[in-house]
Amino acid sequence: MLTTNYAGLGSSELRRRAAREAAAFLRGLPVSRDPAAPLRACTEAMAQATTPAEVHALTELAAGGEDAGLIALRNLLRAAGSRCREQGHAQLAARYDRTSDLLDIADRTLFQLGVDLLAAAHDTLSDRSEPTPALAAGAEGGPR
């Protein structure tokens, strides 16, 4: 394994050197060169969504569930934390774990936001389909 001395380098230079060092490793993996492409496609499609159900479906596709981007990223961060622990970097592992916990919170928040959006849409549709009080009273034999 190649080890590089990064002491005294700025964050941009550290990232550039790490990208060069990892390039051959990444080329050998079945990893997309653009892992955010599905998320961008959902973002672009959002402009065409006309109903709350469509907005919810796009958000759920991009972020909800175990196979979606948000949870996949959480799992990646947890795996990074495990690797850090294995390599003796407990403090860095804890930071990766805390960051993955934030994504769990985001996932739960997005779930509730989706439920709230659908409930609000349902309430709006229910309000439109109910007869006005005057019509309801007339239909029930009350005064017209």
Side-chain angles (χ1 to χ4, degrees):
M1 175 172 96
L2 175 67
T3 38
T4 305
N5 183 1
Y6 292 119
L9 299 176
S11 61
S12 294
E13 183 59 24
L14 282 170
R15 293 171 58 119
R16 271 193 295 279
R17 287 185 182 201
R20 281 194 307 265
E21 186 179 322
F25 170 73
L26 291 175
R27 276 192 301 274
L29 297 176
V31 176
S32 170
R33 301 292 295 167
D34 187 8
L39 294 175
R40 274 195 296 285
C42 287
T43 300
E44 290 168 9
M46 191 64 76
Q48 299 164 3
T50 58
T51 68
E54 291 168 353
V55 169
H56 173 70
L58 286 169
T59 304
E60 186 75 11
L61 181 64
E66 286 295 318
D67 295 328
L70 185 65
I71 297 305
L73 180 56
R74 179 208 61 193
N75 293 342
L76 174 73
L77 294 175
R78 286 183 178 172
S82 293
R83 292 294 296 146
C84 286
R85 256 187 300 291
E86 291 169 7
Q87 296 171 353
H89 301 291
Q91 288 181 329
L92 287 172
R95 289 173 60 194
Y96 275 109
D97 291 342
R98 282 193 303 274
T99 303
S100 74
D101 291 344
L102 293 174
L103 295 179
D104 271 335
I105 293 167
D107 180 55
R108 287 192 300 274
T109 302
L110 286 171
F111 174 84
Q112 188 58 54
L113 185 58
V115 170
D116 293 348
L117 171 67
L118 296 173
H122 176 73
D123 289 346
T124 301
L125 290 174
S126 294
D127 289 346
R128 285 190 216 150
S129 64
E130 292 177 11
T132 62
L135 292 175
E140 296 173 3
R144 287 184 177 233

